[in-house]
Amino acid sequence: MKKMRQVCFLALLLVFTTGCTAALQRGMVGPTYVSTARPAISLAVKDMPLIAGGQGQVNLDWTGVMGGLPVSVWMAAYGQGQPSSPLAIVAQVELAQGWYWNSDSTPPFSVDQANEVIGDTTFAACTFIADSSRDPFALLAGVQPGTPPMRWLVRSFTSRFNFNADKIILEYREPLPPQMEFLEVLTIGQTDQLIAFEQRARNAFVVGPVPGDLQGLADPYMQNVRWQFMDQRFLGTASRYDVFKMN
């Protein structure tokens, strides 16, 4: 019976996603990322210029899939492109058929985990420290190869859609404050400094409906992303539906 329910569920999922594909549009309209499929959504950042926007693909090698599980990524980055400046990322990530995101993007040693609403969308949020050594966004932040590494204070917001096959990720980061440089990971949340940072992160993003005019929508390859370092630390983890394991 359990297998039958899974088969019926996946059949409905296939019909639903196939029906949506015909109208699917994803890409950049000016400085705003837009998706007309589930989720029908627009993502942008306030008061920060667009650095780059577009799409790419990564292959997750920890899934057991030969060659890695393909993940489609649409993304935009905002900021000044300087290591001393804030950086904001908006992204939509989509799994191959038969897979689902089984977690939010909550890395270990995160603090201040909470549900937060931006626009009309609820996100799972958390705060953590990231470093540039294997960071996919280091070049976008202006950290060049051969220069000293740097670390950031990061607030991440994640929401899953479309039977958990799609995920929206918002990430806001600032250079790690000098008084936190001795920390390897965050151990205490809800300090005054973190509360102020998390408020800035929450206020940075604009999440809304699809605009009426999609003229000029573009979907180029996203430059200056170190795709080889985009893994579960940013994307989260995924599982395969049991019915696909029978073959």
Side-chain angles (χ1 to χ4, degrees):
M1 181 62 71
K2 180 181 176 182
K3 293 293 186 183
M4 182 62 69
R5 286 197 299 266
Q6 289 176 329
V7 170
C8 292
F9 170 79
L10 290 167
L12 288 171
L13 175 60
L14 179 60
V15 170
F16 180 84
T17 54
T18 302
C20 289
T21 302
L24 174 65
Q25 287 183 286
R26 288 175 178 156
M28 302 298 300
V29 177
T32 301
Y33 171 74
V34 173
S35 170
T36 63
R38 286 184 57 137
I41 201 168
S42 64
L43 307 171
V45 173
K46 301 176 188 175
D47 303 324
M48 296 174 69
L50 177 70
I51 298 173
Q55 51 77 30
Q57 183 166 302
V58 297
N59 295 299
L60 302 180
D61 55 11
W62 50 266
T63 58
V65 175
M66 184 175 297
L69 175 68
V71 178
S72 298
V73 182
W74 294 265
M75 187 167 57
Y78 302 80
Q80 300 296 331
Q82 300 294 328
S84 59
S85 302
L87 178 74
I89 302 290
V90 304
Q92 179 172 5
V93 293
E94 181 181 63
L95 285 170
Q97 182 182 340
W99 290 78
Y100 65 97
W101 297 110
N102 61 19
S103 71
D104 299 312
S105 299
T106 305
F109 307 108
S110 300
V111 299
D112 293 349
Q113 298 179 17
N115 290 328
E116 299 199 23
V117 178
I118 304 177
D120 293 326
T121 302
T122 300
F123 293 87
C126 65
T127 301
F128 55 93
I129 293 174
D131 68 77
S132 62
S133 60
R134 295 178 62 84
D135 183 79
F137 311 122
L139 295 177
L140 294 168
V143 182
Q144 299 300 321
T147 59
M150 70 169 295
R151 296 194 296 162
W152 296 276
L153 191 60
V154 181
R155 183 70 168 172
S156 175
F157 306 87
T158 306
S159 191
R160 288 177 280 172
F161 297 87
N162 198 18
F163 302 101
N164 293 336
D166 284 82
K167 181 186 287 188
I168 297 294
I169 304 171
L170 313 177
E171 187 177 288
Y172 176 84
R173 52 173 70 184
E174 295 178 358
L176 192 67
Q179 58 268 41
M180 292 187 180
E181 288 181 351
F182 71 96
L183 295 173
E184 293 298 322
V185 297
L186 294 176
T187 57
I188 301 174
Q190 289 295 298
T191 65
D192 290 345
Q193 189 169 31
L194 286 184
I195 290 172
F197 164 75
E198 289 161 4
Q199 184 64 47
R200 291 194 296 274
R202 187 182 310 112
N203 292 339
F205 297 101
V206 180
V207 179
V210 176
D213 184 6
L214 297 183
Q215 186 174 0
L217 185 143
D219 190 26
Y221 178 75
M222 181 79 168
Q223 301 288 339
N224 291 328
V225 177
R226 302 197 295 176
W227 295 103
Q228 70 273 27
F229 297 136
M230 186 173 289
D231 54 22
Q232 62 266 36
R233 288 171 295 181
F234 177 72
L235 299 173
T237 56
S239 293
R240 194 177 189 182
Y241 284 110
D242 288 342
V243 67
F244 285 88
K245 298 178 182 178
M246 294 189 298
N247 297 327

